[in-house]
Amino acid sequence: MQHDLIAQARTWLAEDPDPETRDELAALIEAGDVQELAGRFAGTLQFGTAGLRGELGAGPMRMNRSVVIRAAAGLAAYLKAQGQEGGLVVIGYDARYKSADFARDTAAVMTGAGLRAAVLPRPLPTPVLAYAIRHLGAVAGVEVTASHNPPRDNGYKVYLGDGSQIVPPADGEIAAAIAAVGPLTDVVRPEDGWETLGEEVLDAYLARTDAVLAAGSPRTARTVYTAMHGVGTSVVTAAFERAGFPAPVLVAEQAEPDPAFPTVAFPNPEEPGAMDLAFATARRAAPDLVIANDPDADRCAVAVPDASAEGGWRMLRGDEVGALLAAHLVERGVSGVFAESIVSSSLLGRIAEQAGLGYEETLTGFKWIARVDGLRYGYEEALGYCVDPEGVRDKDGITAALLVAELASVLKERGRTLLDLLDDLALAHGLHATDQLSVRVEELTVIADAMTRLRQQPPTALAGLAVTSAEDLTRGTDRLPPTDGLRYQLEGARVIVRPSGTEPKLKCYLEVVVPVAEAAGLPAARARAAELLAAIKRDLAAAAGI
């Protein structure tokens, strides 16, 4: 066994084009570190949510140039099998470690395979790549990013020519094509022959961002903005300037790209402590809003002044922002379909129904939301919002930030705030309160064991609320294809449990709906909702054994 493992590692080492990972792997072989080698050669990184994601390092279970070259070669083979020989593939990348190298390798492989390749001019937000695919008439796009993952991760997100992330059966067919790639020495990788795009592609995206705002709308909201050490700053500031908003006050410590993400434990606005510097800046600048993007700027977090919150600022949940943007679009008189994933708040459906608009529920991820026929607006609770589906068929943290700033400006002119509008929605539709039980694990077996336990012994009540239906989503429903998840309907609540598609986490999404008849009843309704959510979280953790 040990001999086979060392032989496997030596074979990989001989093909590795990257001096850094070659040295890393050679040291492991020299040290005879069987445990570490076993982890790196336990299989291969699998195509998950629209591509690959994993920790940087040597070996097939890590993200590295060898894995990326194979992925690119498989994608190229798939595209050619689909009759796309000579088609254009656009490649974008963020500012993480190795992102530029992975983008260059992808361009070389595409060029060597007889496709045309064009690389964005510099590290730019993922939505710019999603926009460029359709703008340039490409047959596919690749974004090198690990979004809001820890610093040592990177990833490889794949889009097809419609500008949406891949879904079955394309993902499986691409994975099979990757598995069929032979020795790396057989993958043709010229030194040049691809195009590096100029700033005009970004200019075209920025021109499109204006389309999300209503002509003549107020643009007075003042913001503090953080890019969370990612690539958002230059694009957000340019978009706000074009739109005529006051220039955002930047969180200076996090404004420039830095792959080490030195000021945050996890570069995700949802993680505890990630927004501390933004709130400190806001206490000095006294803006109307705090807006944060994740490092590739496809997600948008929003915080508002709240005297009752610790430090005077309150982060809005993704579901709250999702409902606020929906209400704003309804007031603007939009038409079309509103869509969300099954893990997001049911409030969107109530808003759409009252407005006479279409409504669709999809599986988790914008690869599904973006495919809804007639989509006008889609969102997901994890801070993702698609507010201009004709421009970007994916979540876009920049256009979402513009739309939030417009809504805040409209309300400001009326002497009102985003919190006032949330109160209005609670009075109209009931208080919809959401929370999440999220468990990060070292061993993936913990997740599998929890799912098995819940399937074998489903809870009959949570927080004293009877479970009225329990669905195993692996069987699919009349409206949803199969997925690994469980859904429980309770009297006045809903719970969904699923493994994360991008991180080693078990995620449980909780929602309670508390009727409220008048404004005076809102504090009691909020207290009741918080009590129920805490009890559901406790009982669910016990039922899952986590």
Side-chain angles (χ1 to χ4, degrees), residues 83-391:
Q84 306 287 7
E85 180 92 39
L88 175 67
V89 179
V90 190
I91 302 148
Y93 59 103
D94 67 12
R96 284 178 176 266
Y97 296 119
K98 297 288 183 183
S99 286
D101 294 341
F102 295 167
R104 178 187 165 85
D105 282 331
T106 300
V109 171
M110 295 301 163
T111 303
L115 292 145
R116 292 180 296 126
V119 184
L120 293 185
R122 53 191 168 87
L124 286 168
T126 294
V128 177
L129 181 274
Y131 168 80
I133 294 165
R134 300 182 74 203
H135 176 65
L136 298 173
V139 299
V142 170
E143 176 71 17
V144 181
T145 181
S147 189
H148 57 277
N149 275 39
R152 286 299 303 168
D153 287 4
N154 213 328
Y156 198 81
K157 185 182 284 192
V158 177
Y159 299 76
L160 294 182
D162 62 356
S164 298
Q165 299 173 43
I166 53 171
V167 295
D171 55 357
E173 291 167 5
I174 294 169
I178 293 169
V181 173
L184 281 195
T185 48
D186 293 348
V187 178
V188 179
R189 287 186 291 127
E191 289 295 314
D192 52 35
W194 57 88
E195 179 185 2
T196 300
L197 296 165
E199 293 293 316
E200 63 277 359
V201 69
L202 177 59
D203 293 341
Y205 168 81
L206 284 169
R208 177 79 204 185
T209 61
D210 297 351
V212 306
L213 302 175
S217 63
R219 314 277 167 93
T220 56
R222 294 172 302 109
T223 59
V224 159
Y225 171 75
T226 176
M228 207 68 66
H229 298 296
V231 296
T233 297
S234 64
V235 182
V236 166
T237 53
F240 271 61
E241 182 181 0
R242 284 182 63 98
F245 287 103
V249 175
L250 302 180
V251 178
E253 302 93 330
Q254 299 174 335
E256 295 304 315
D258 186 337
F261 304 108
T263 69
V264 290
F266 287 94
N268 178 355
E270 293 179 295
E271 293 283 348
M275 296 290 286
D276 287 356
L277 287 170
F279 293 153
T281 305
R283 284 190 284 273
R284 294 192 298 271
D288 301 302
L289 290 171
V290 172
I291 290 176
N293 287 142
D294 65 340
D296 69 328
D298 63 352
R299 297 170 195 247
C300 177
V302 180
V304 294
D306 184 349
S308 67
E310 186 181 345
W313 283 85
R314 175 183 151 197
M315 272 280 284
L316 297 182
R317 290 191 166 275
D319 284 317
E320 292 176 314
V321 176
L324 288 168
L325 292 179
H328 181 46
L329 291 170
V330 165
E331 183 173 320
R332 278 180 31 184
V334 303
S335 58
V337 177
F338 284 7
E340 65 180 341
S341 63
I342 57 172
V343 299
S344 305
S345 171
S346 59
L347 179 55
L348 184 69
R350 308 261 180 108
I351 292 170
E353 182 182 16
Q354 187 182 58
L357 297 174
Y359 168 73
E360 289 287 338
E361 218 178 28
T362 74
L363 292 183
T364 311
F366 272 81
K367 60 183 182 179
W368 299 108
I369 294 170
R371 286 184 155 73
V372 168
D373 285 342
L375 180 68
R376 176 57 185 87
Y377 167 64
Y379 97 91
E380 190 155 67
E381 54 72 44
L383 310 183
Y385 313 94
C386 175
V387 301
D388 177 26
E390 287 306 304

Side-chain angles (χ1 to χ4, degrees), residues 53-74:
R53 200 177 288 186
E55 185 180 346
L56 291 164
M61 288 295 288
R62 298 286 187 270
M63 282 296 296
N64 51 64
R65 290 183 60 199
S66 297
V67 164
V68 165
I69 290 166
R70 288 184 178 279

Side-chain angles (χ1 to χ4, degrees), residues 431 463-465 512 514 522-534:
L431 177 70
L465 304 175
V512 298
V514 180
L522 281 167
R526 289 204 174 90
R528 174 62 177 156
E531 178 188 309
L532 283 171
L533 287 169

